[in-house]
Amino acid sequence: MISKKTLLAGAFAAVLTTGAFSFAAHAEDDKDLTIYKSPYCGCCTQWSDALEDAGFNVTVRNTEDLDAVKRQVGVPANMQSCHTAMVDGYVMEGHVPLEAVKRVLAERPDIKGLSVPGMPMGSLGMGEPDADTNYTVYTLPKAAGGEPTVYQQVSGK
């Protein structure tokens, strides 16, 4: 007959060897990110690679119809860029800097997400930042018809 103590020890050992304990200890650091992008876009790949290098679990969804994705998640036309990503319930539109992604996930503001409209030079995935790098990260409001606000300003190196 097996004792309760032996059963508990076996269960605990199983949790440790399957990695469940490790996952629970690091769950707050593990973020799943899904990026929707054109299969032909190199800057989108650079952006997603940078997020993966930073510890995000990146899933790439190549699509020919990015407009449908943007409509579905509610990115206004004036806030659109070349790719759309979803991470922990937030939309990340375009070349949002890593620092802004991490900040929004830490602060958990009541917004739909963040956007870097267009494809500004020096933004993450769009070449190295230099003295001329200057762009704005905007919030995407949850309410339909709400106005984006400045979340972060990014200036030269």
Side-chain angles (χ1 to χ4, degrees), residues 22 36 45 68 75 96 123 125 150:
S22 173
Y36 298 87
T45 300
V75 178
V96 177
S123 61
V150 173

Side-chain angles (χ1 to χ4, degrees), residues 31 36 92-93 140-141 153:
K31 295 294 180 196
Y36 298 87
M92 297 293 148
E93 179 67 17
L140 296 172
Q153 190 66 38

Side-chain angles (χ1 to χ4, degrees), residues 1-147:
M1 183 163 212
I2 299 175
S3 72
K4 286 183 185 178
K5 207 182 254 187
T6 302
L7 282 173
L8 287 174
F12 184 71
V15 167
L16 286 176
T17 58
T18 62
F21 178 79
S22 173
F23 174 77
H26 300 290
E28 65 192 39
D29 297 331
D30 295 335
K31 295 294 180 196
D32 295 330
L33 181 140
T34 302
I35 180 173
Y36 298 87
K37 65 178 232 24
S38 164
Y40 315 108
C41 187
C43 66
C44 300
T45 300
Q46 290 176 19
W47 186 85
S48 64
D49 287 350
L51 274 283
E52 191 168 48
D53 290 347
F56 288 81
N57 304 312
V58 176
T59 300
V60 176
R61 300 274 189 239
N62 288 314
T63 179
E64 300 285 342
D65 191 5
L66 284 167
D67 289 336
V69 173
K70 293 170 192 313
R71 275 192 309 274
Q72 183 178 358
V73 298
V75 178
N78 64 336
M79 290 287 113
Q80 292 183 5
S81 185
C82 59
H83 62 264
T84 304
M86 299 296 298
V87 58
D88 207 21
Y90 288 100
V91 175
M92 297 293 148
E93 179 67 17
H95 296 274
V96 177
L98 177 60
E99 300 79 24
V101 174
K102 288 180 176 181
R103 182 177 150 208
V104 85
L105 293 174
E107 294 176 356
R108 310 292 306 165
D110 190 26
I111 60 174
K112 183 181 299 190
L114 300 177
S115 173
V116 173
M119 298 168 66
M121 291 307 298
S123 61
L124 185 61
M126 290 296 296
E128 291 299 316
D130 60 22
D132 295 327
T133 299
N134 188 17
Y135 62 95
T136 305
V137 180
Y138 294 94
T139 64
L140 296 172
K142 276 188 171 180
E147 290 296 317

